[in-house]
Amino acid sequence: MMSLTKTHKSLRYLGLGLLALLILGPFILGFWTSLMPTADIAKGILISSHLSLANYVDAVQQTAILRYLVNSLVISTLTMLAQVLFCSLGAYTFVFLKFKGRDFLFYVILATMMLPFEAEVIPNFATVRFLNLLNHYAVMVIPFLTSAFGIFMLRQAFRQIPGELKEAADIEGLNHWQFYWRVALPYARISIFTLAAYSFLESWNQYLWPMLTTFSDKFRPVQDGLRQLQSQETFNNWGMIQASAVIVVIPTLLVLFVGQHYFKNGLNEGATK
Amino acid sequence: MEAGHSVPKSQPTVKSFAKTAAKGFNVHVNDKYYAAAFLGPSLLILGVFVFYPMVRTLYLSLFLTNNVGRPTVFVGLKNYVSLLTSAAYRASLTATGFYVVGVVVLTLALGILLAQATVQKLAGIQWFRTIFSATMGVSVSVAAIFWLFIFSPSVGLLDQIAAFFHLPVINWLTDPGWAMVAIIVSTVWMNLGFTFLILFGALQMVPPTLYEAADIEGASKRYQFWHVTLPMISPTLFFTATVTLIGAFKSFGLIDLMTAGGPNNATNLMVYQVYKDAFLTGNYGMASAESIILALVIALFTLLQFKFLEKRVTY
C-alpha cells in the first residue's frame, strides 16, 4: 500500500473521531449529566461546574438499583449455566447418538427457532401462574433453561469433531457422558463460550417477560427496575436516573470488553465458515 | 437410516468391530437411554414454553375470551377478519413496516461504514474497534434512558442545540412523525455494536489479493467497494439483515419506555399492540390473533435465514 500523507492521515482520524463521537455521545452525555445536580439539568444547563457523585449516592440509598443488579446477575448466571449444559447435551444427542426419530426431533427443534417468544406470552403467562412461579427468580429462568438456537449452534460445533476422536474414545471404553465431558465440551470451547455470553446478555436484556411476571423489588431484574424508577415519582430527577443507568451499563460494558476477544472469534467462526 | 443399531458415523474399521464384538454388545444399544437423559430436559422445556403456547395461542385466536383469558365463544376467523379490516390495526402494521425498514437500512448502512472505517491499518485503530462495538453492552432500558434525555423537551440535548442556533424546536416524542424517527434512531444506535462486530469480521475475511489485483487493474476505491467488498460479504450482510429485521419486528422495550406506543398510536408496533390488547384491556382472543400474525411474519423471515444457513453449511 502507498504510504499516506500527513493530511490524509489526519483526515482519516478526523472521520474516525466523528464516528466515535456519534457512538459514544449518548454514553458521554448520560455519564456527564449523572454527575450534575438535577436542578441544573432542569434549568437546561449542560455545562455545570457543580459535579459530584451525589446522584450515585442517592440512587444507591433511595432506590433498589443494587438489588435489581443482584437479581439480574442471579437470573442471567443461572440461565447461562443451564443453557450451556442443556443445549450442549441436546446438541451432543444429535451428533453422537443414534436412535429412532432423531432426525425428526431435530427438525422439530429447528422449527421452534421460528416461533417468537413475544407471540407466546399469553399462554405462557397462564402456565407460570398455574405453576405458581409468578414473582420469583424461577419465572425468569425456567422458560429459558434451554434454547433451540443454542442446540443448533453447538450441533454445528460438535460436527467439527473428527470421527477418529470418537473411534479412539470408543476403543478406550469411554461412555457418552465421559466423551461429552472430556472431549466434546473442551473441543467446542469457543462455541460454548459464545453461547454463554450470548445467553447471558439475552437474559440480561429481557424486558417484556419480567415486566409481566415480577411485581416486587425483591425479584425484579434491572431492565424493569429502571422502568420502575423512570415511571415513578423520580421521573423528573434526571441526575439520579442517569446515575442509575450508568450503574446498570458498567457491568455489561466490562463483560463485553473482557469477553470481546472470545466473542469475536466465536462469531466469526459462525459467520464465515 | 436403520433404527437402534445403525453403524457409527465414521467408517467402521475391522478394529472397531473387533472391539465391539469383544465387549459383547453393540455400543449403540444404550443410545436411546442416553438420548432420553441428554435431550429430555430440552424437549420438556421447549414443549411447555414454546410448542404448547403456540398451539394454545392459535386456539385462543379463534375464540372470544373472558377477562381471565378463558375461551368463551368460538368465532372462527372472525378475530382475524376484524383485525385486518380495522384501521387501527392496519396503522399498527404500517408503523411496524416503516420502523423495520428504517431500522434495517440504517443499521446496515452505518454498520458497513463503521466496519469499513476500521479495516484500514492505522495506529490505534484497535481503540476505534472497541468503541464501535460498545453499544453491544447496552441494554434496552439504558438505551431508552440515554435517548429519552437527548430527545426530552426543553432540557434535552437536541432542544438545547436547537435553542442555541435559534432553530425551530422539534417535539421529538410528542409529534407522531418525529417520535417514529426518535425510536428508529435509538434502535439503530443500540443495534450498531453487534452489527459492526459481525460485518467487521466479514470484511477481514476478504482476501487482500482481490484488492491488490483490483489496484493493479486500476479500479477505483468506490468500484472496489461495490464490486469486490459487497459481493464478498453479501452472505454475512444477508445474515445480519435478517437478524436485525427479526429483532425489529419484536421490538418492545424501547417503545414502552420512550413513547408507550404514542403519540396517537404512531409508534404502536406489533408487539406493543399484543401487550395492550392482552394485558391492558384483557382482550385475549384478539391479542392471540395478533400474536399469530406476528409469528407468521417472523417465521417467514426465519425460514429465509435458514435457507441461507443451509447454503453456508454445505459450503
Side-chain angles (χ1 to χ4, degrees):
Chain A
M1 202 185 263
M2 286 174 290
S3 68
L4 298 166
T5 63
K6 256 193 180 151
T7 28
H8 212 106
K9 232 179 187 173
S10 36
L11 270 179
R12 291 197 168 185
Y13 280 116
L14 185 71
L16 283 167
L18 282 175
L19 289 174
L21 195 66
L22 207 70
I23 298 293
L24 287 184
F27 287 107
I28 297 169
L29 198 66
F31 182 64
W32 176 254
T33 45
S34 76
L35 300 172
M36 281 174 52
T38 294
D40 279 6
I41 303 173
K43 274 186 246 159
I45 299 169
L46 278 185
I47 317 285
S48 170
S49 53
H50 305 102
L51 299 183
S52 75
L53 292 175
N55 288 321
Y56 290 87
V57 176
D58 284 354
V60 168
Q61 285 179 348
Q62 293 171 23
T63 75
I65 190 74
L66 292 183
R67 177 75 204 191
Y68 299 148
L69 269 179
V70 170
N71 291 342
S72 273
L73 197 66
V74 171
I75 293 162
S76 300
T77 306
L78 287 176
T79 306
M80 175 185 81
L81 293 175
Q83 282 203 18
V84 165
L85 177 70
F86 292 129
C87 293
S88 60
L89 284 173
Y92 184 93
T93 310
F94 290 119
V95 178
F96 294 107
L97 298 179
K98 317 264 179 192
F99 58 96
K100 208 174 169 180
R102 185 183 85 161
D103 293 348
F104 170 74
L105 273 181
F106 180 68
Y107 285 114
V108 167
I109 286 185
L110 207 59
T112 66
M113 275 173 74
M114 291 193 292
L115 307 177
F117 192 81
E118 286 76 4
E120 309 185 317
V121 286
I122 299 165
N124 279 336
F125 184 80
T127 302
V128 293
R129 192 175 46 194
F130 173 74
L131 295 173
N132 242 328
L133 297 175
L134 283 179
N135 202 31
H136 196 277
Y137 288 144
V139 78
M140 284 165 286
V141 176
I142 289 178
F144 311 105
L145 286 175
T146 190
S147 89
F149 168 75
I151 293 175
F152 180 75
M153 185 182 131
L154 294 184
R155 174 178 170 269
Q156 298 303 111
F158 286 159
R159 280 165 60 142
Q160 314 280 326
I161 297 175
E164 298 83 60
L165 267 182
K166 183 72 181 100
E167 262 171 51
D170 284 345
I171 292 167
E172 291 285 313
L174 258 62
N175 65 29
H176 281 300
W177 170 258
Q178 290 166 326
F179 184 72
Y180 159 81
W181 187 252
R182 292 194 211 155
V183 182
L185 276 191
Y187 195 94
R189 61 187 176 282
I190 291 179
S191 296
I192 298 276
F193 197 93
T194 307
L195 177 66
Y198 179 84
S199 57
F200 187 94
L201 282 179
E202 191 91 325
S203 171
W204 187 272
N205 284 331
Q206 286 257 348
Y207 182 91
L208 175 61
W209 182 245
M211 172 182 138
L212 297 174
T213 54
T214 50
F215 323 114
S216 71
D217 285 347
K218 204 173 161 201
F219 299 111
R220 188 172 279 136
V222 276
Q223 306 311 324
D224 294 85
L226 282 178
R227 174 183 198 263
Q228 196 69 9
L229 294 188
Q230 202 251 335
S231 61
Q232 276 176 351
E233 71 281 5
T234 43
F235 178 57
N236 283 316
N237 193 344
W238 269 115
M240 195 171 87
I241 295 208
Q242 298 280 40
S244 311
V246 171
I247 292 174
V248 172
V249 83
I250 283 174
T252 37
L253 279 184
L254 282 179
V255 169
L256 177 73
F257 293 146
V258 173
Q260 199 175 44
H261 175 69
Y262 298 91
F263 215 92
K264 220 162 26 183
N265 286 349
L267 288 174
N268 286 353
E269 199 176 67
T272 53
K273 264 189 186 153
Chain B
M1 194 169 283
E2 299 157 76
H5 55 275
S6 54
V7 292
K9 204 174 118 200
S10 50
Q11 283 302 310
T13 59
V14 175
K15 221 162 128 193
S16 71
F17 279 140
K19 188 74 197 175
T20 308
K23 273 202 232 158
F25 64 88
N26 188 313
V27 281
H28 295 303
V29 168
N30 279 326
D31 278 16
K32 58 178 183 248
Y33 301 113
Y34 273 106
F38 281 14
L39 193 57
S42 285
L43 283 182
L44 180 70
I45 294 296
L46 292 175
V48 173
F49 291 103
V50 183
F51 268 113
Y52 159 73
M54 208 66 245
V55 176
R56 178 78 180 164
T57 303
L58 188 62
Y59 177 78
L60 284 176
S61 75
L62 306 174
F63 285 84
L64 293 180
T65 50
N66 64 13
N67 57 358
V68 290
R70 294 219 168 278
T72 51
V73 184
F74 179 80
V75 292
L77 293 177
K78 242 183 172 167
N79 283 333
Y80 293 94
V81 172
S82 55
L83 273 180
L84 295 174
T85 52
S86 123
Y89 189 67
R90 290 223 295 250
S92 168
L93 290 183
T94 313
T96 309
F98 191 83
Y99 170 82
V100 167
V101 171
V103 166
V104 171
V105 170
L106 287 176
T107 301
L108 288 188
L110 287 171
I112 293 177
L113 179 68
L114 294 180
Q116 187 77 15
T118 47
V119 281
Q120 52 185 327
K121 285 195 177 73
L122 272 178
I125 198 74
Q126 189 56 46
W127 287 101
F128 289 101
R129 288 174 193 158
T130 304
I131 288 171
F132 292 169
S133 66
T135 64
M136 203 170 151
V138 177
S139 56
V140 60
S141 305
V142 173
I145 286 175
F146 283 170
W147 284 97
L148 258 179
F149 181 72
I150 292 173
F151 288 124
S152 71
S154 68
V155 302
L157 180 74
L158 291 176
D159 274 9
Q160 296 231 30
I161 293 174
F164 185 81
F165 290 107
H166 300 288
L167 293 168
V169 164
I170 292 169
N171 298 316
W172 287 99
L173 296 170
T174 49
D175 178 285
W178 289 115
M180 177 58 90
V181 173
I183 60 165
I184 289 178
V185 168
S186 314
T187 310
V188 169
W189 180 78
M190 207 170 67
N191 285 346
L192 271 179
F194 175 77
T195 310
F196 162 74
L197 271 185
I198 302 262
L199 292 179
F200 174 71
L203 283 183
Q204 270 191 320
M205 293 294 164
V206 180
T209 46
L210 288 181
Y211 294 115
E212 284 156 21
D215 274 337
I216 291 168
E217 290 187 22
S220 70
K221 289 290 168 203
R222 176 195 293 235
Y223 187 90
Q224 290 182 21
F225 175 76
W226 288 103
H227 294 90
V228 178
T229 310
L230 275 191
M232 287 304 287
I233 64 167
S234 65
T236 311
L237 212 54
F238 182 73
F239 169 77
T240 319
T242 45
V243 168
T244 311
L245 186 117
I246 292 168
F249 270 111
K250 296 185 192 175
S251 272
F252 177 81
L254 266 178
I255 318 295
D256 182 55
L257 279 160
M258 292 182 70
T259 63
N264 265 329
N265 289 327
T267 57
N268 182 30
L269 306 188
M270 288 171 92
V271 179
Y272 202 78
Q273 173 73 21
V274 171
Y275 160 71
K276 279 205 304 194
D277 268 347
F279 296 96
L280 298 184
T281 54
N283 196 346
Y284 293 96
M286 205 61 103
S288 296
E290 290 159 3
S291 297
I292 293 296
I293 294 173
L294 174 71
L296 282 178
V297 172
I298 289 176
L300 186 76
F301 286 109
T302 315
L303 268 180
L304 267 179
Q305 197 184 341
F306 279 168
K307 270 234 129 45
F308 150 78
L309 275 174
E310 227 170 78
K311 246 189 231 160
R312 208 191 57 204
V313 168
T314 53
Y315 170 81

